[in-house]
Amino acid sequence: MTAAPPDAEVLYAELLRQVRERALADPGLQLVGIASGGAWIAERLHADLGRAGKVSVVSSVMHRDDFAQRGLASSMQTLVNFDVNGASVLLVDDVLYTGRTLRAVLNELFDHGRPARVALAVLADRGGRELPVAADLCAAEVDVPPGQSLELARDDAGRLRFVLESLTP
């Protein structure tokens, strides 16, 4: 029997609390969502924090170490709408797993400039790291059974939910 996935809305509320504290301590903090689930979360955080304008999004597709196998994914493209040089950046993602996406995203971000600091906020950390990466803000650590992935979904009203998907055909 498969365990139920965590409640993404409950985790979002916790992450919002943590990000609000970080933003109060660092008013110049720039939110940057990692395409695509992280972008959804960053958009909501941006709105819930009462920030004007459009949230920035960064894609990992051009810097993936498996680009030859994956090719160009049909995900969101990078849009950075602030000067990265000297900025305080909070990357936002849905699930932290191996750390490979984050490595690619950091390369993409640094293509736009050199930030003063970069931190990471995630809804869920499922462990299984292949690279030495850790989240600075994390709503929950989640156990995901072997052979399954934890995917974030969003409905038309913007509500988030996690789905456990089997990796085997």
Side-chain angles (χ1 to χ4, degrees):
M1 179 155 180
T2 303
D7 185 326
E9 286 294 328
V10 169
L11 296 186
Y12 174 79
E14 172 56 23
L15 189 63
L16 174 60
R17 184 193 65 73
Q18 292 178 27
V19 171
R20 184 173 277 127
E21 285 180 11
R22 177 68 63 106
L24 287 171
D26 183 358
L29 186 68
Q30 298 289 330
L31 299 178
V32 178
I34 298 174
S36 61
W40 298 340
I41 298 163
E43 287 169 358
R44 271 187 63 182
L45 290 168
H46 192 79
D48 288 344
L49 293 173
R51 294 188 169 197
K54 193 169 180 149
V55 73
S56 293
V57 175
V58 67
S59 170
S60 66
V61 73
M62 295 305 291
H63 291 281
R64 299 247 351 158
D65 56 7
D66 57 358
F67 179 80
Q69 292 130 349
R70 294 171 58 123
L72 284 173
S74 61
S75 70
M76 299 174 189
Q77 298 302 307
T78 295
L79 168 67
V80 177
N81 54 18
F82 63 94
D83 184 5
V84 173
N85 290 303
S88 177
V89 176
L90 181 63
L91 291 173
V92 179
D93 206 3
D94 51 359
V95 179
L96 178 57
Y97 183 31
T98 64
R100 292 164 51 133
T101 296
L102 186 62
R103 184 211 53 83
V105 162
L106 287 168
N107 286 343
E108 178 73 11
L109 181 66
F110 274 77
D111 283 351
H112 293 270
R114 185 169 185 230
R117 68 185 100 2
V118 179
L120 175 63
V122 298
L123 273 186
D125 181 344
R126 65 167 287 182
R129 222 70 79 237
E130 295 175 3
L131 298 173
V133 173
D136 300 277
L137 306 176
C138 178
E141 293 181 5
V142 177
D143 289 323
V144 177
Q148 292 194 328
S149 68
L150 184 63
E151 303 293 330
L152 188 67
R154 179 174 71 166
D155 66 19
D156 292 338
R159 289 190 48 84
L160 303 171
R161 67 183 171 83
F162 277 118
V163 178
L164 282 173
E165 293 186 356
S166 178
L167 296 176
T168 55

